[in-house]
Amino acid sequence: MAATLALTCSCKAIDHQNPSPRRAKGSNTIQKRDPTIKQRASEPARIKKYQAKTVKTSNRSQELSLIHALCSYVDYGSMKHALNLFENMDKSDSFVWNVIIRGLTNNGFFQEAIDFYDRMQFSGVHPDNFTFPFVIKACGESLAYVEGMKVHSKLLKVGLDLDLYICNSLIIMYAKLGYIQLSERVFGEMGIRDLVSWNSLISAYVLVGDGWSSLMCMQEMQAFGVRTDRFTMIGALGACTLECSLLCGKEIHGQVIRRGFELDSMVQTSLINMYGKCGVVNYAERLFEGISQKSIVVWNTMVGGYAQNGLPLESFACLEKMRYSDSFEFDEITMINLLPACAQLGAILHGKSIHALTIRKGFLPHCVLETALIDMYGTCGEMKPSERIFARMRDRNLISWNAMIAAYVHNGQNRVALEVFQDLWNEPLEPDAMTITSVLPAYAEIALLREGKQIHTYIIKVQLSSNTFIMNSIVYMYAKCGDLRAGREIFDGILFKDVISWNTIIMAYAIHGMGSISIELFSEMREKDIKPNFSTFVSLLSACSIAGMMDEGWEYFNSMRSGYGVDPGIEHYGCMLDLLGRTGNLDQAKCFIDELPLTSTARIWGSLLAASRHHRNIELAELAACHISSLEHDNTGCYVLLSNMYAEVGRWEDIERIKFLMRNQRLEKITGCSILETNNRTYRFTNHDRSHVDSNVIYEVLDIILRKIGEELCSYEVSKTKPPDLARRRANSTKYHSVRLAICYGLISTSLGNPILVRKNTRICEKCHSAAKKISEFTNREIVVGDSKIYHHFRDGHCSCGDYW
């Protein structure tokens, strides 16, 4: 190059000193040419061409430097600098667009990546086979179904729909969007499949929660002779975790050892997670201890494994060991795995400390972490923080909605839970199995049978009726809403009945006072080799207690530990206390409480209070109410019951004292109401209610019925010390109670022979209970009244509760 430049300079000098010869004016003679004239004449063009080439080379070098800097920014995750640089670059090449879209996708800016893809096309730059995989991933991660379908349509248009790498990305995208059928279709139409294709489909099934299909896909893959790799094993272990299939997990573990993947850190973590989710913590611990170099992921998995298996103290101990033995600092996943341990312990202060720490560390906003916080606060009974977190969440996924619904249900705010469920329908999300399972108890507790039937119809429509977990909830919902027949039909239709299915149907008959059928179901359960658990005996002993089956109750209670290896809990002791209360041996019941190996709860003292009320023992009732109020400060039921007992014996000063205590603690008596559903409408009645349009007819018919059953001849026990005005009100106090009005309207508005179902938010009083028995005999109709404790089935003048509730 130096020689050329020297030559160019010398040529320029010659040109200036010796101009080119010209034809002499008026002469035909041409002057003699210099031999270098031709060469010198072409030099300016060569110089211009070289100068353009030099500028082009310089621009290309600068462009390459910018591209190199752009790639460096993207690789280091500095997207702010990358975007600033991108705006000052030449954007005619698809490569720079691909780099920025890749960077946005890999750094979690999924919607921004989709926006840049649209901007790229608007700028006239055509996306290529390197663009689409990252755009597809962004659509999947951001749940952008419409954009994903547009990208797929573009692929069909440009002929890249069969590109191997792109098809593998489409399989995962559709799975993340919840459309596994489209993933299967993409996989089925692929002309060429590699190992990644099979692994993608295996992972796709795991993403939609279909573990069995994932395992079947792995078997089919092996049948085609495709050799598995570490990612295959990780996907299959995830499938075993979903299905809680320990046997399949052990088989995959054997393949891991045979293929030599047992030292792979990701595979080890998946194995620990699988064993933890399957409840075999000792296997998980053995694998965990065998890892010499433990990563933060392994530690987090073990912390979560302890919490998932109800070992919260071990979970905290594992965290301490992680921090001080291996000097690991916790991350977001550590907090997510630790929060359930706080919920199990009811350690709200620890949970708040973790919440504060996540804020200081800058972990929030984080959708999964915020969801875990909602669940923790909800389980600990702190709904205000749960509501604030949920309201401030930027990106709510379906799991977040499910957690909020479950929190409201757990804290007895069932109507609010149903409102949140209704709000969910306005979101671009579809309820899943967990949503339905979370919200069904709310329908059950509020006893909205008509709306419960609607959600049952939806379950059938979206083909979730084969889900055992959901159908168990449906059985419970029908039983709690009073339709025991429908609950039994659903139970009989469950193909794969688990222990929860049997526990639910046993409890269903228990709360309807049909203890003998509960015992028959328990015998049938044992014949089918279903091992009873803790909850089974709660259901069974409740059945014995409600039905007054004394001998059977004690037999099952005494055989729990010896015959089935189940240690009695406070719930079982409460059922046995109910049985003792039936015999009227209240002194023995009091000794039973004093000798309890567990701390007495409000439920225990409530059983004693109910027994004292039934047998008119005011002194013991006062003792029980005192303990209940110390354990549950907002329990108005014990005050009301005690007040009623005082009224029956004319202790009016004590009644005023109870009222003063309630006012002082700002407690209000629950307004009793009865609900009747008929003609696709719900009717609510309160005591002496005249708001119904047919009130005149209802009162006239009720008066006729009460005369027919001799109710007007009943003398009311009124103390001589009772004021005259209070005596008059008390004499007529039960005549027009809400349950009587509801029963009467049910007789008027329903067809002959059909049972009448009434639900009451408080316990039915003795006089209304007696009246309902007589009405059932007089009208020859079955009357079902569900109060706050059980369902009373009145037939032919008798009640299923045996007159003890």
Side-chain angles (χ1 to χ4, degrees):
M1 181 179 290
T4 307
L5 289 173
L7 177 62
T8 303
C9 293
S10 61
C11 290
K12 285 184 178 180
I14 293 171
D15 289 340
H16 287 291
Q17 293 173 6
N18 301 305
S20 299
R22 300 177 181 273
R23 184 185 299 272
K25 194 174 183 178
S27 172
N28 294 325
T29 306
I30 298 178
Q31 296 180 0
K32 187 178 179 181
R33 288 180 180 272
D34 190 319
T36 61
I37 285 179
K38 185 177 180 180
Q39 179 181 356
R40 291 200 306 268
S42 63
E43 280 301 324
R46 289 180 61 194
I47 292 168
K48 290 181 180 180
K49 184 177 180 181
Y50 177 77
Q51 289 175 339
K53 184 177 180 181
T54 302
V55 171
K56 186 176 181 180
T57 302
S58 177
N59 290 341
R60 182 60 180 168
S61 177
Q62 184 181 5
E63 183 182 345
L64 289 174
S65 298
L66 292 174
I67 291 174
H68 178 73
L70 182 69
C71 292
S72 298
Y73 284 138
V74 168
D75 292 339
Y76 282 103
S78 182
M79 291 307 302
K80 182 177 180 180
H81 293 89
L83 291 169
N84 289 335
L85 182 60
F86 173 80
E87 297 300 336
N88 296 316
M89 292 178 63
D90 178 20
K91 304 177 185 62
S92 59
D93 189 1
S94 63
F95 180 80
V96 293
W97 289 92
N98 292 346
V99 170
I100 206 72
I101 291 172
R102 171 175 65 88
L104 290 169
T105 302
N106 290 342
N107 285 278
F109 300 103
F110 305 117
Q111 186 57 52
E112 290 79 359
I114 297 171
D115 294 340
F116 260 83
Y117 165 73
D118 294 335
R119 181 181 165 189
M120 174 184 183
Q121 294 183 95
F122 184 77
S123 300
V125 181
H126 297 290
D128 54 24
N129 58 330
F130 295 104
T131 313
F132 288 109
F134 295 106
V135 178
I136 292 169
K137 179 181 178 181
C139 292
E141 294 292 346
S142 61
L143 303 178
Y145 173 73
V146 175
E147 288 80 0
M149 292 298 292
K150 288 180 181 178
V151 171
H152 197 172
S153 300
K154 182 73 173 182
L155 291 170
L156 294 169
K157 184 177 180 180
V158 300
L160 289 175
D161 55 305
L162 296 179
D163 182 273
L164 181 63
Y165 190 42
I166 290 175
C167 286
N168 293 340
S169 301
L170 284 171
I171 291 171
I172 296 295
M173 180 196 76
Y174 281 124
K176 288 184 176 179
L177 294 173
Y179 295 92
I180 190 62
Q181 300 87 352
L182 294 178
S183 296
E184 293 172 331
R185 183 175 176 181
V186 171
F187 181 82
E189 294 176 353
M190 291 176 69
I192 301 174
R193 300 173 188 147
D194 61 359
L195 177 60
V196 178
S197 308
W198 287 97
N199 288 345
S200 297
L201 189 59
I202 289 171
S203 300
Y205 283 121
V206 173
L207 284 170
V208 296
D210 190 353
W212 286 118
S213 296
S214 180
L215 294 172
M216 293 302 103
C217 183
M218 180 183 175
Q219 286 188 1
E220 186 180 355
M221 165 188 173
Q222 291 173 321
F224 274 94
V226 181
R227 191 173 176 82
T228 58
D229 67 353
R230 57 197 288 260
F231 296 106
T232 316
M233 299 302 173
I234 292 168
L237 287 170
C240 297
T241 301
L242 278 175
E243 300 297 332
C244 292
S245 176
L246 182 61
L247 180 61
C248 290
K250 288 181 176 180
E251 290 179 2
I252 302 298
H253 193 176
Q255 292 189 40
V256 166
I257 295 172
R258 287 195 297 273
R259 295 281 286 112
F261 297 134
E262 67 271 21
L263 297 179
D264 184 279
S265 61
M266 292 179 65
V267 175
Q268 288 173 331
T269 304
S270 299
L271 281 167
I272 293 171
N273 185 50
M274 183 271 296
Y275 282 122
K277 292 285 179 64
C278 291
V280 192
V281 184
N282 55 335
Y283 280 29
E285 287 177 328
R286 194 180 307 167
L287 285 168
F288 178 75
E289 296 298 335
I291 301 175
S292 56
Q293 297 293 328
K294 300 179 181 67
S295 66
I296 183 66
V297 179
V298 175
W299 281 103
N300 288 344
T301 305
M302 201 66 226
V303 169
Y306 283 125
Q308 290 155 6
N309 286 276
L311 301 169
L313 296 177
E314 287 80 354
S315 184
F316 277 101
C318 187
L319 175 68
E320 290 299 308
K321 190 176 179 182
M322 178 188 84
R323 293 184 63 192
Y324 295 108
S325 296
D326 280 9
S327 300
F328 275 115
E329 280 298 322
F330 37 76
D331 59 6
E332 300 96 320
I333 308 301
T334 316
M335 303 293 99
I336 292 168
N337 290 337
L338 194 62
L339 283 168
C342 298
Q344 292 165 23
L345 291 171
I348 187 64
L349 292 179
H350 286 78
K352 288 182 177 180
S353 299
I354 291 173
H355 189 184
L357 188 61
T358 59
I359 295 172
R360 288 201 303 270
K361 291 284 186 179
F363 293 158
L364 298 177
H366 188 290
C367 183
V368 180
L369 179 56
E370 288 167 317
T371 302
L373 285 167
I374 290 172
D375 184 68
M376 183 274 297
Y377 280 119
T379 305
C380 293
E382 297 278 344
M383 284 308 301
K384 291 297 182 182
S386 292
E387 291 170 340
R388 284 196 295 267
I389 294 169
F390 185 75
R392 294 172 182 173
M393 287 182 71
R394 294 181 186 173
D395 303 309
R396 299 172 186 163
N397 59 16
L398 188 57
I399 300 174
S400 308
W401 284 90
N402 293 348
M404 200 66 220
I405 292 171
Y408 280 121
V409 173
H410 178 77
N411 287 277
Q413 300 184 35
N414 298 295
R415 294 194 180 277
V416 185
L418 294 180
E419 291 173 5
V420 175
F421 180 60
Q422 293 297 327
D423 293 339
L424 174 59
W425 291 98
N426 299 324
E427 299 291 324
L429 299 169
E430 288 190 7
D432 63 357
M434 190 56 64
T435 316
I436 303 301
T437 306
S438 300
V439 79
L440 276 173
Y443 285 106
E445 293 302 327
I446 296 178
L448 298 174
L449 182 59
R450 182 164 53 91
E451 296 186 18
K453 287 180 178 179
Q454 291 176 356
I455 198 68
H456 186 194
T457 304
Y458 173 77
I459 289 168
I460 296 171
K461 180 180 177 181
V462 297
Q463 300 179 351
L464 287 174
S465 54
S466 61
N467 187 308
T468 301
F469 197 49
I470 288 180
M471 299 319 291
N472 292 340
S473 299
I474 287 288
V475 173
Y476 177 78
M477 183 271 296
Y478 275 119
K480 289 286 288 184
C481 289
D483 196 343
L484 183 59
R485 186 178 303 171
R488 181 59 188 264
E489 290 176 0
I490 300 299
F491 171 79
D492 291 337
I494 298 176
L495 294 177
F496 303 102
K497 299 181 181 71
D498 57 10
V499 66
I500 301 175
S501 308
W502 291 95
N503 294 349
T504 304
I505 196 64
I506 291 171
M507 179 58 80
Y509 278 100
I511 63 176
H512 285 263
M514 303 178 187
S516 58
I517 301 179
S518 293
I519 290 177
E520 292 174 6
L521 287 166
F522 179 68
S523 300
E524 186 179 347
M525 171 185 174
R526 288 187 298 177
E527 290 174 2
K528 295 184 179 298
D529 294 327
I530 304 293
K531 185 179 178 181
N533 60 11
F534 186 95
S535 298
T536 310
F537 284 99
V538 173
S539 301
L540 190 62
L541 293 177
S542 296
C544 296
S545 170
I546 293 170
M549 305 174 72
M550 184 73 61
D551 296 335
E552 293 86 349
W554 282 107
E555 178 186 348
Y556 290 126
F557 180 76
N558 293 328
S559 66
M560 281 177 57
R561 185 182 287 110
S562 59
Y564 302 97
V566 177
D567 292 326
I570 198 67
E571 297 89 345
H572 305 109
Y573 286 108
C575 294
M576 300 316 296
L577 190 60
D578 286 338
L579 276 173
L580 284 173
R582 282 181 171 271
T583 64
N585 194 343
L586 300 183
D587 292 335
Q588 185 180 352
K590 175 63 171 59
C591 292
F592 184 80
I593 295 177
D594 294 336
E595 295 173 0
L596 277 180
L598 303 173
T599 303
S600 299
T601 62
R603 160 78 171 85
I604 293 293
W605 290 107
S607 297
L608 184 62
L609 179 61
S612 303
R613 175 193 64 86
H614 190 77
H615 297 286
R616 306 290 195 274
N617 190 323
I618 293 183
E619 290 76 14
L620 207 54
E622 289 175 330
L623 175 65
C626 181
H627 282 283
I628 293 172
S629 61
S630 65
L631 293 169
E632 294 182 353
H633 303 290
D634 58 347
N635 191 323
T636 59
C638 67
Y639 289 115
V640 173
L641 195 149
L642 194 60
S643 177
N644 292 338
M645 292 181 70
Y646 287 146
E648 290 172 358
V649 295
R651 292 172 56 173
W652 310 113
E653 292 181 358
D654 290 322
I655 293 177
E656 293 301 321
R657 179 174 57 84
I658 293 292
K659 290 181 178 179
F660 174 78
L661 288 173
M662 292 182 67
R663 284 195 301 269
N664 194 37
Q665 298 181 33
R666 296 182 179 179
L667 299 178
E668 294 183 2
K669 181 181 176 180
I670 298 172
T671 302
C673 71
S674 298
I675 301 171
L676 175 76
E677 290 186 45
T678 181
N679 300 326
N680 294 322
R681 291 189 62 184
T682 301
Y683 299 93
R684 295 179 182 271
F685 296 89
T686 58
N687 294 344
H688 304 276
D689 192 349
R690 289 190 176 271
S691 62
H692 198 280
V693 291
D694 296 323
S695 289
N696 292 334
V697 177
I698 293 172
Y699 276 82
E700 289 176 5
V701 173
L702 181 58
D703 287 337
I704 294 171
I705 292 174
L706 292 179
R707 284 198 300 271
K708 291 291 185 181
I709 65 175
E711 182 78 5
E712 84 284 0
L713 300 177
C714 294
S715 60
Y716 291 88
E717 296 179 3
V718 180
S719 173
K720 292 181 181 179
T721 60
K722 191 173 181 181
D725 58 335
L726 188 58
R728 277 197 305 273
R729 290 202 306 269
R730 181 158 179 77
N732 296 318
S733 61
T734 62
K735 185 175 181 180
Y736 300 124
H737 269 191
S738 64
V739 66
R740 300 186 185 210
L741 298 174
I743 290 173
C744 184
Y745 186 67
L747 291 170
I748 296 171
S749 59
T750 59
S751 303
L752 289 175
N754 291 338
I756 298 168
L757 175 61
V758 176
R759 290 179 299 277
K760 185 172 170 58
N761 65 337
T762 57
R763 287 192 179 186
I764 185 173
C765 71
E766 292 186 37
K767 291 183 174 58
C768 288
H769 188 272
S770 175
K773 289 195 297 182
K774 295 175 182 178
I775 294 172
S776 70
E777 184 179 19
F778 170 71
T779 60
N780 197 25
R781 299 279 292 272
E782 179 184 1
I783 299 172
V784 182
V785 178
D787 65 9
S788 59
K789 185 177 182 182
I790 63 169
Y791 275 90
H792 303 261
H793 289 254
F794 300 99
R795 295 190 190 94
D796 302 323
H798 300 283
C799 180
S800 59
C801 73
D803 296 337
Y804 186 95
W805 70 99

